[in-house]
Amino acid sequence: MRKLTFVVLASLMAGPLGARMAHPAEGPAKAEPKSEVIVGCKDTKLYHRASCKWVKEIEKAGTRVDFKSVAEAKKAGMRPCEDCKPGS
Ligand SMILES: [Zn+2]
């Protein structure tokens, strides 16, 4: 009988988030990399990244609420969308 020991190392490398976002000339529109706009839905009480597919639906329904950050959305009693996982 041989025993094989497998050591699985799951290393979750969470890189430093604010690690220098200095791009001099990339994207003319928004110059605020830190503050991602969070879009909440008054109806579902879920919040999304602005790029989420549901944001279009929220706008259609007219239930959009903007938050400055995930923290703001949480304070308002909202929960993160499971598709776009804002704030993770
Ligand atoms: Zn979403």
Side-chain angles (χ1 to χ4, degrees):
M1 280 266 268
R2 269 163 51 191
K3 272 187 193 171
L4 292 175
T5 308
F6 292 98
V7 179
V8 179
L9 288 175
S11 58
L12 295 170
M13 302 285 275
L17 279 173
R20 293 241 177 156
M21 304 195 76
H23 301 292
E26 215 178 274
K30 288 174 187 173
E32 283 193 327
K34 258 197 236 167
S35 57
E36 183 184 19
V37 177
I38 296 297
V39 180
C41 175
K42 280 189 272 189
D43 198 30
T44 61
K45 297 280 182 193
L46 294 172
Y47 59 87
H48 307 260
R49 295 173 194 271
S51 55
C52 181
K53 60 178 178 181
W54 293 111
V55 170
K56 268 181 260 166
E57 302 299 320
I58 291 169
E59 279 172 350
K60 247 191 259 172
T63 54
R64 175 175 175 153
V65 206
D66 279 15
F67 294 102
K68 273 177 288 182
S69 64
V70 167
E72 292 275 306
K74 276 186 191 164
K75 242 189 272 171
M78 300 229 166
R79 291 178 309 152
C81 163
E82 287 187 4
D83 281 324
C84 59
K85 296 184 170 55
S88 65

